[in-house]
Amino acid sequence: MGAVVAVIVSVALTGSVPASAETQRPVYVEQAVKAGLTHAQAAQLQQKVDGYVSGNPAARQISANKLKIPGGSLTLPAPGQKKARDLASSAAAPACASGHLCILDGRGYFYDYYECGLEYPFDGIGDGTFNNNQTWFTKAYFLNSDHSTRWTNTAKDSGTASWTPVFYIIACDS
């Protein structure tokens, strides 16, 4: 009932229904609190999500700390977390699903790519890990700022990498 009242008040004051991201914020804050964050930590997390979305307009928030990004998803670490895990999930961050390319960067951001044939901007920073859990012999491409190939990896494989010099990713050939 409170959410309905808030929408009605917003429409009465502004003449329009608020954006879906705005109406979802209380749900995401509640997810974060249920996952063990304080209200202050939940607010910090929402600021981090908002900052990422403002710099990456194609990104869309889908849970307290998870975003849909071109080609996959990005899970941000919550305040105090060293490694990201989806706060909407009751389990710790899962291993990389079959058919996916997963990356954990030096900030603890978890990227999960599963769409082939497209070049995706990548903003990973620092040293981290990857899990190329795609179909056997599927090749992932990690590109420089000029879109030239920096290195490739053939599934199934995992390892460590420096993500700062990687600017684009092609998860797999189409």
Side-chain angles (χ1 to χ4, degrees):
M1 173 108 175
V4 173
V5 172
V7 171
I8 292 170
V9 170
S10 177
V11 171
L13 295 176
T14 66
S16 63
V17 176
S20 61
E22 292 292 323
T23 58
Q24 285 294 103
R25 278 201 179 130
V27 173
Y28 298 142
V29 168
E30 197 58 37
Q31 273 180 355
V33 170
K34 283 183 181 177
L37 274 64
T38 67
H39 282 283
Q41 289 172 320
Q44 277 182 301
L45 176 59
Q46 188 60 52
Q47 285 178 340
K48 187 187 290 188
V49 168
D50 291 344
Y52 187 89
V53 170
S54 71
N56 300 276
R60 183 175 52 87
Q61 186 173 9
I62 57 175
S63 77
N65 65 329
K66 189 171 185 176
L67 300 140
K68 172 82 173 117
I69 60 172
S73 65
L74 167 63
T75 304
L76 303 174
Q81 281 186 333
K82 291 195 185 272
K83 293 185 178 180
R85 70 171 181 89
D86 184 359
L87 296 179
S89 170
S90 59
C96 196
S98 179
H100 292 226
L101 168 67
C102 299
I103 295 169
L104 183 65
D105 79 359
R107 298 171 295 187
Y109 287 21
F110 181 79
Y111 298 81
D112 182 356
Y113 294 98
Y114 47 85
E115 292 182 21
C116 293
L118 298 172
E119 183 179 290
Y120 300 106
F122 179 71
D123 68 346
I125 295 175
D127 295 336
T129 59
F130 67 92
N131 184 352
N132 189 351
N133 198 24
Q134 301 179 90
T135 306
W136 283 100
F137 308 111
T138 300
K139 192 179 286 189
Y141 298 83
F142 303 88
L143 310 177
N144 294 307
S145 60
D146 66 357
H147 303 269
S148 64
T149 301
R150 180 170 196 80
W151 59 284
T152 64
N153 180 265
T154 304
K156 298 201 177 266
D157 192 23
S158 60
T160 60
S162 175
W163 297 114
T164 303
V166 176
F167 288 83
Y168 301 94
I169 290 179
I170 301 173
C172 43
D173 292 330
S174 54

